[in-house]
Amino acid sequence: MSKALTGVRILDMTHVQSGPTCTQILAWFGADVIKIERPGAGDATRGQLRDIPDVDSLYFTMLNANKRSVTLNPKTEAGNRIFAKLIEVCDVMVENFAPGAIDRMGFPWEKIQEINPRMIYASVKGFGAGPFQDCKVYENVAQCTGGSASTTGEVDGFPMVTGAQIGDSGTGIHLVAGILAALLHRERTGKGQRVECAMQDAVLNLCRVKLRDQQRLAHGPLTEYPQYPNGKFGDAVPRAGNASGGGHPGWIVRCKGWENDPDAYIYVITQTQAFPQLAKAIGHDDWLEDPEWSTPEARLPKLDRVFAEIEKWTMTKDKMEVMDILNPLNVPCGPILSMKELAAEPSLRETGTIVEVEHPERGKYLTVGNPIKLSDSPADVERSPLLGEHTEEVLRSVVGLDEKEIAAAREQGAI
Ligand code: CAO
């Protein structure tokens, strides 16, 4: 089976998480991703949060599958020439260095276009144009500045960041969409273009429903928030604990074993059309005839009592039993699954969402495979490259250097 992006060559100037997530997905779609790393050092994540001494960290290996690694310093004379040649022969360049870093290497967008007018040049930055455009940004900064932290957390608690890497991986995935659109556009026009994605913008996009609520707030209290009807609303969207954020109330309730198991919980949504089945399942047939409970409007001011009653029932069962009972009744619900449970889940292994990979230095490790499934182009997850593993191969076959030129570049410290 052919891969969707076979024949597309990516000049990968990414590091840490946001950019590498993007190029890893492109690699899984079949692109030839050539990751450029600083000679002798490489992507800083190779050495961060190491679990095994002197071996590429899981941080690196789980973000750089299916890529080729080339060590190259474009700030040296030979490195500059090699880099220009790579720009000429690649289709897409992706980078997420601090603002201006690629320009300082001698490759502003104008120069890149001059070298290769078909080049698609994609960047992640922390912020778009504006007062913060020159700032360096990491994940949690993006979560805080993109609206996620102010709307996440306990009702009366601190702003809270989430473990989902919506700033880094979230932006990387946005960038994939931009690159694919630009590739399609290039098919029609023959021209490349710039693709830019700011982490603040990507997080805000993912928090779209909260900007919806900000505008609703001007017209009265947000009735699905736990602050309604007894708490207070200010003039900005508040934190809402585990409230659903959608049109149907939901909450996390305890299940059997919660005293000792931090993940013995389940999220239950009291979707209107499934509410009669849910009420019967928890032993509250009486609610169905009682006007105090039978309609969503009547229940709205006392959702805490609704979920307390649901919890009385869920606490008599483990979370999987609750799932088994409620799902056939069409009650939307989901157990809180730990990373340990997810890692062991056979169905995720079967779909290639969790994959075991063999690495020459660390042995076997687990990674998350491509979550985007293409019927004719399934992703084959391959281990991440060692630092500079493909330098000579790429310099020979892609850049067209001979042995003498490679040796000279090595002498200069360019590779
Ligand atoms: N050879 C030689 N030098 C290289 C090189 C190579 N192959 N690759 C990178 N460099 C140099 C750059 O040229 C830059 O040098 P100058 O600043 O002197 O021009 C330098 O390495 C460091 O780049 P940086 O400033 O991007 O790195 P940092 O660790 O200080 O900052 C980060 C990291 C992520 C905060 C910053 O890159 C950033 O804000 N990126 C944009 C937003 C982003 O993607 N953030 C998410 C990161 S994932 O959590």
Side-chain angles (χ1 to χ4, degrees):
M1 267 187 265
S2 72
K3 299 274 191 256
L5 294 185
T6 297
V8 175
R9 197 181 274 145
I10 314 280
L11 179 52
D12 182 4
M13 290 293 285
T14 68
H15 68 155
V16 205
Q17 186 181 162
S18 64
T21 336
C22 164
T23 51
Q24 180 167 260
I25 288 185
L26 297 172
W28 283 333
F29 287 156
D32 176 13
V33 176
I34 301 171
K35 183 173 172 100
I36 306 297
E37 297 183 79
R38 195 199 297 254
D43 188 327
T45 58
R46 283 186 186 268
Q48 283 174 358
L49 310 177
R50 270 187 174 148
D51 53 333
I52 305 174
D54 303 324
V55 169
D56 285 338
S57 71
L58 288 164
Y59 197 3
F60 179 84
T61 55
M62 292 178 72
L63 286 163
N64 291 285
N66 298 60
K67 303 181 186 177
R68 298 202 270 178
S69 167
V70 168
T71 48
L72 179 71
N73 183 347
K75 293 169 172 172
T76 60
E77 201 191 314
N80 191 280
R81 262 184 282 119
I82 293 168
F83 194 65
K85 181 69 188 174
L86 281 167
I87 291 176
E88 203 181 311
V89 298
C90 287
D91 299 281
V92 181
M93 173 165 150
V94 190
E95 65 89 21
N96 70 308
F97 287 116
I102 301 287
D103 298 39
R104 288 194 291 278
M105 286 179 180
F107 294 93
W109 171 221
E110 298 71 33
K111 171 113 181 256
I112 293 169
Q113 272 177 306
E114 212 178 285
I115 300 172
N116 179 1
R118 288 174 59 80
M119 173 61 86
I120 289 157
Y121 178 26
S123 301
V124 170
K125 296 287 165 265
F127 295 95
F132 305 124
Q133 64 190 24
D134 294 326
C135 298
K136 292 189 176 184
V137 168
Y138 282 108
E139 172 67 46
N140 289 345
V141 175
Q143 289 195 26
C144 292
T145 55
S148 177
S150 83
T151 52
T152 304
E154 296 293 341
V155 169
D156 298 316
F158 260 57
M160 187 75 72
V161 295
T162 154
Q165 305 285 284
I166 57 175
D168 281 339
S169 290
T171 309
I173 292 162
H174 279 79
L175 199 68
V176 170
I179 290 168
L180 297 180
L183 276 168
L184 209 55
H185 181 258
R186 194 182 73 173
E187 288 293 301
R188 292 202 308 274
T189 63
K191 271 186 62 186
Q193 61 181 306
R194 276 214 79 166
V195 178
E196 292 177 288
C197 210
M199 294 167 76
Q200 181 184 41
D201 298 4
V203 170
L204 181 55
N205 184 37
L206 297 173
C207 293
R208 177 171 294 264
V209 298
K210 297 297 178 179
L211 187 57
R212 171 201 68 192
D213 293 346
Q214 181 62 41
Q215 296 169 84
R216 289 173 60 223
L217 195 54
H219 301 279
L222 305 169
T223 52
E224 77 282 20
Y225 277 57
Q227 288 83 346
Y228 178 80
N230 302 318
K232 270 182 66 183
F233 284 91
D235 58 4
V237 175
R239 294 184 264 292
N242 288 315
S244 91
H248 299 283
W251 200 254
I252 290 179
V253 288
R254 289 174 285 187
C255 295
K256 194 162 142 187
W258 67 273
E259 298 90 337
N260 301 313
D261 176 357
D263 294 306
Y265 295 83
I266 192 162
Y267 200 97
V268 179
I269 298 178
T270 59
Q271 194 191 21
T272 309
Q273 53 271 44
F275 192 79
Q277 294 89 302
L278 175 62
K280 282 184 203 158
I282 67 169
H284 265 298
D285 306 51
D286 55 306
W287 281 354
L288 303 179
E289 304 302 326
D290 183 347
E292 274 296 303
W293 298 95
S294 59
T295 64
E297 296 73 27
R299 291 191 294 271
L300 200 54
K302 36 187 182 283
L303 285 177
D304 50 345
R305 283 160 65 199
V306 171
F307 285 106
E309 289 302 303
I310 294 172
E311 190 172 64
K312 271 189 203 159
W313 176 77
T314 57
M315 282 168 70
T316 66
K317 317 225 165 327
D318 73 43
K319 62 188 178 187
M320 289 308 183
E321 277 179 275
V322 176
M323 182 85 172
D324 286 346
I325 296 170
L326 293 188
N327 261 311
L329 304 178
N330 282 329
V331 176
C333 59
I336 306 303
L337 295 180
S338 68
M339 280 298 148
K340 183 178 170 193
E341 289 166 310
L342 289 166
E345 173 55 44
S347 66
L348 293 176
R349 302 287 183 113
E350 268 160 38
T351 56
T353 297
I354 299 232
V355 188
E356 193 171 79
V357 190
E358 182 73 40
H359 187 276
E361 293 181 344
R362 72 164 34 254
K364 285 191 195 331
Y365 68 96
L366 283 189
T367 191
V368 182
N370 194 350
I372 307 166
K373 318 288 187 202
L374 271 63
S375 63
D376 277 0
S377 314
D380 303 309
V381 179
E382 288 163 19
R383 70 163 172 87
S384 61
L386 302 174
L387 179 61
E389 187 175 342
H390 305 97
T391 304
E392 298 208 0
E393 168 187 311
V394 168
L395 292 185
R396 243 182 261 120
S397 66
V398 179
V399 183
L401 297 192
D402 59 28
E403 295 310 317
K404 249 174 78 184
E405 290 165 314
I406 293 176
R410 196 175 293 290
E411 210 152 283
Q412 265 191 36
I415 59 175

